[in-house]
């Protein structure tokens, strides 16, 4: 299979990695994912799914999540996905019969069972990728519509949720920030996903927490890390990414600035710090 680089927000996305890769996701579109080889682990504050080879998953917008992509023993990690924006979803619903629910469920993460239809769709995409000649924009749109039709027929509860999500509502900052402090998103994304403009987010945050978002996030990450090291028996290399630091070196430096010792010596820190 030839190496192909595509932007993750394009309607058709493909990625391949020869070593394990961890990334954060700030989804603004609906995705249907197929892992071609290796394993992907996607998690957010409340959910975790493991996608093995030739398995599918649905990822919804409006939520932070993290993904860890692990190659197979004898092959690189490979993933292909289709991205749907509201326009193509609404256009499909306008011209096709879609069963709606009074209280639709909006899924952020969900495994999709294999079916002959979805296997055939992604099998054709895999053939294009393997040949190194991607389908043009018109054909990609056809594949997007085909995938929506499969979702509508095989997973109607997912389709109903896609139509019923609507605009993000303003939610509690206490709950939202405690669920999402570990993500390295710009503040405008925190504002967006909490249902606020950036100016409203800053204003509400100061009123709620009596400090700035950046200061609160850093203190929260270090506090959680301290507890995981002190009481959870974890090592710094096991937690730095989990609590929101991109590198172990950055975590160690900020931790020492806050607690006076490096995280590897946390058991020597007095309880009254």
């Amino acid at each position: 299979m030839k190496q192909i680089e595509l932007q993750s927000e394009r309607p058709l996305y493909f990625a391949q990695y020869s070593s394990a890769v961890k990334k954060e996701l700030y989804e603004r579109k609906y995705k249907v994912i197929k892992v071609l080889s290796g394993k992907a682990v996607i998690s957010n504050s409340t959910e975790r799914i493991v996608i093995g080879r030739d398995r599918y998953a649905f990822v919804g917008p409006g939520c932070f999540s993290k993904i860890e992509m692990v190659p197979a023993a004898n092959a690189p990690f490979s993933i292909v996905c289709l991205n749907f924006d509201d326009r193509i979803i609404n256009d499909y619903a306008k011209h096709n019969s879609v069963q709606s629910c009074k209280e639709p469920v909006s899924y952020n993460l969900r495994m999709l069972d294999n079916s002959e239809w979805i296997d055939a769709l992604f099998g054709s995409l895999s053939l294009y990728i393997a040949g190194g000649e991607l389908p043009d924009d018109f054909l990609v749109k056809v594949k997007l519509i085909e995938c929506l039709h499969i979702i509508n027929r095989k997973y109607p509860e997912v389709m109903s949720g896609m139509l019923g999500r609507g605009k993000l509502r303003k939610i509690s900052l206490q709950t939202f920030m405690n669920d999402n402090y570990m993500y390295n998103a710009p503040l405008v994304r925190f504002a967006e996903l909490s249902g606020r403009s950036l100016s409203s987010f800053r204003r509400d945050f100061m009123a709620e927490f009596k400090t700035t978002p950046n200061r609160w996030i850093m203190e929260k990450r270090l506090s959680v890390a301290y507890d995981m090291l002190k009481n959870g028996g974890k090592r710094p290399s096991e937690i730095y990414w989990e609590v929101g630091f991109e590198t172990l070196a950055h975590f160690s430096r900020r931790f020492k600035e806050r607690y006076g010792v490096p995280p590897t010596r946390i058991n020597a820190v007095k309880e009254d710090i």
Side-chain angles (χ1 to χ4, degrees):
M1 182 177 290
K2 297 181 180 180
Q3 180 70 40
I4 302 173
E5 297 292 340
L6 294 174
Q7 294 180 356
S8 61
E9 292 298 315
R10 289 181 59 84
L12 172 63
Y13 171 63
F14 170 76
Q16 186 178 79
Y17 302 103
S18 58
S19 58
V21 173
K22 295 179 179 180
K23 290 188 175 184
E24 294 185 354
L25 305 175
Y26 319 122
E27 296 298 351
R28 307 186 76 173
K29 296 182 179 180
Y30 296 92
K31 295 180 182 291
V32 174
I33 294 170
K34 180 181 183 181
V35 171
L36 303 176
S37 64
K39 177 182 72 175
V41 181
I42 306 179
S43 60
N44 58 29
S45 60
T46 59
E47 303 166 289
R48 181 178 183 271
I49 59 174
V50 179
I51 317 168
R53 178 182 175 183
D54 292 331
R55 295 301 308 277
Y56 302 91
F58 173 82
V59 180
C63 182
F64 293 120
S65 60
K66 296 192 177 192
I67 182 170
E68 182 175 5
M69 297 167 280
V70 183
N74 57 353
F77 173 85
S78 298
I79 190 171
V80 61
C81 75
L82 292 172
N83 290 306
F84 306 87
D85 57 26
D86 289 337
R87 182 173 58 181
I88 196 167
I89 294 169
N90 293 334
D91 187 61
Y92 174 84
K94 180 180 178 181
H95 295 93
N96 295 272
S97 176
V98 176
Q99 181 179 356
S100 61
C101 302
K102 291 183 179 179
E103 297 182 1
V105 177
S106 294
Y107 297 97
N108 287 318
L109 301 176
R110 173 186 163 136
M111 296 293 295
L112 297 178
D113 295 331
N114 290 60
S115 73
E116 291 182 354
W117 289 14
I118 199 167
D119 285 342
L121 168 60
F122 277 86
S124 66
L125 292 174
S126 298
L127 289 175
Y128 284 110
I129 293 168
E133 186 175 354
L134 296 177
D136 59 27
D137 291 345
F138 176 81
L139 190 51
V140 169
K141 184 177 181 180
V142 171
K143 295 298 181 181
L144 290 170
I145 295 172
E146 180 183 352
C147 191
L148 285 174
H149 194 66
I150 293 170
I151 294 172
N152 190 32
R153 293 289 299 275
K154 299 295 184 179
Y155 320 99
E157 69 283 3
V158 174
M159 174 60 74
S160 183
M162 293 170 77
L163 292 172
R165 181 178 293 265
K167 186 178 180 180
L168 292 172
R169 294 179 296 175
K170 191 174 182 178
I171 59 178
S172 164
L173 278 183
Q174 282 281 354
T175 300
F176 177 74
M177 294 305 300
N178 279 294
D179 284 345
N180 296 290
Y181 66 87
M182 70 291 294
Y183 295 101
N184 284 297
L187 287 185
V188 67
R189 297 308 304 275
F190 279 94
E192 177 185 351
L193 296 186
S194 71
R196 294 166 170 83
S197 66
L198 181 57
S199 59
S200 294
F201 177 78
R202 291 181 186 275
R203 182 175 61 251
D204 292 352
F205 196 98
M206 182 60 72
E208 182 75 25
F209 296 98
K210 313 305 179 186
T211 187
T212 66
N214 288 331
R215 289 176 181 172
W216 185 92
I217 288 171
M218 181 57 66
E219 181 61 27
K220 178 69 175 180
R221 290 175 179 175
L222 293 172
S223 175
V224 171
Y226 179 90
D227 183 67
M228 294 173 74
L229 293 169
K230 186 71 175 180
N231 303 313
K234 298 284 189 176
R235 293 179 296 179
S237 60
E238 296 176 308
I239 68 167
Y240 75 90
W241 191 67
E242 182 179 345
V243 298
F245 291 89
E246 294 183 340
T247 68
L248 179 57
H250 183 217
F251 167 61
S252 298
R253 183 175 70 254
R254 296 307 296 264
F255 191 95
K256 186 176 181 179
E257 290 173 357
R258 172 63 178 84
Y259 293 106
V261 295
T264 51
R265 295 187 57 233
I266 187 57
N267 287 330
V269 179
K270 295 180 180 180
E271 292 294 333
D272 59 355
I273 288 182

